[in-house]
Amino acid sequence: MSIFLLVACLCSLSEEVESLMDDYGFVGYSSQWSRGLYLHMNEPYTFLIYPGINLEGVLCGVGGDAVFDLQMELHGGGLNIIDTEPDDLPVLRFVTGSGSVAYSVTVTAVDMLYGVTADSVYVFFAMRPVVVKIENSVPGEPDLAITGE
């Protein structure tokens, strides 16, 4: 019976994550990945992600119904980003470099509701290519055909 309840909870949480990823996809975040976890309170879980090169985006965690505070850390490629806000939906913005790097992600359920000691969590990232802004520092001469001279 408890396995059925776990599957039911994961389905609703996975649908929520799928909806969030669809929202990111709608605004151009084309490279996406997600992973479901079952975390015990105050037991950090660490894994590696490989988002790609020259991308910008977000790494998000989504806690289940009982997760009150979910902390995330992202390390690698010269980055050391730690979420310090108490919430169940941490969002870490980051930019990958030009080299292929493995990033280490650590997720910890710090606080839970209802006396629960473990719950489901999803971690996902949504990335898009870095937009290079081209600045025109030298103005060009106007075209004579346009100005009529």
Side-chain angles (χ1 to χ4, degrees):
M1 183 68 171
S2 63
I3 293 176
F4 176 73
L5 291 174
L6 178 62
V7 170
C9 289
L10 277 175
C11 288
S12 62
L13 185 58
S14 66
E15 289 171 359
E16 180 181 349
V17 169
E18 196 172 299
S19 174
L20 288 169
M21 292 176 70
D22 287 344
D23 291 343
Y24 276 109
F26 184 73
V27 293
Y29 290 83
S30 58
S31 175
Q32 299 182 348
W33 168 91
S34 68
R35 181 175 189 174
L37 305 171
Y38 190 72
L39 295 180
H40 292 274
M41 191 164 65
N42 291 319
E43 291 183 15
Y45 185 82
T46 302
F47 58 94
L48 297 175
I49 61 171
Y50 304 91
I53 59 173
N54 295 325
L55 299 172
E56 63 183 355
V58 294
L59 174 69
C60 304
V62 181
D65 291 337
V67 176
F68 183 69
D69 185 8
L70 186 65
Q71 287 186 348
M72 281 193 342
E73 300 179 16
L74 176 69
H75 304 283
L79 297 176
N80 186 18
I81 304 171
I82 300 173
D83 169 61
T84 58
E85 298 298 319
D87 60 4
D88 66 337
L89 184 76
V91 177
L92 305 178
R93 297 190 180 281
F94 70 107
V95 177
T96 64
S98 60
S100 183
V101 176
Y103 294 86
S104 172
V105 177
T106 303
V107 184
T108 309
V110 178
D111 195 8
M112 294 192 180
L113 302 172
Y114 319 117
V116 175
T117 59
D119 198 2
S120 302
V121 171
Y122 264 83
V123 177
F124 73 93
F125 67 71
M127 307 296 287
R128 65 180 172 196
V130 173
V131 178
V132 178
K133 295 179 183 177
I134 300 173
E135 294 184 25
N136 188 1
S137 60
V138 179
E141 293 293 324
D143 190 358
L144 294 178
I146 295 174
T147 61
E149 296 178 4

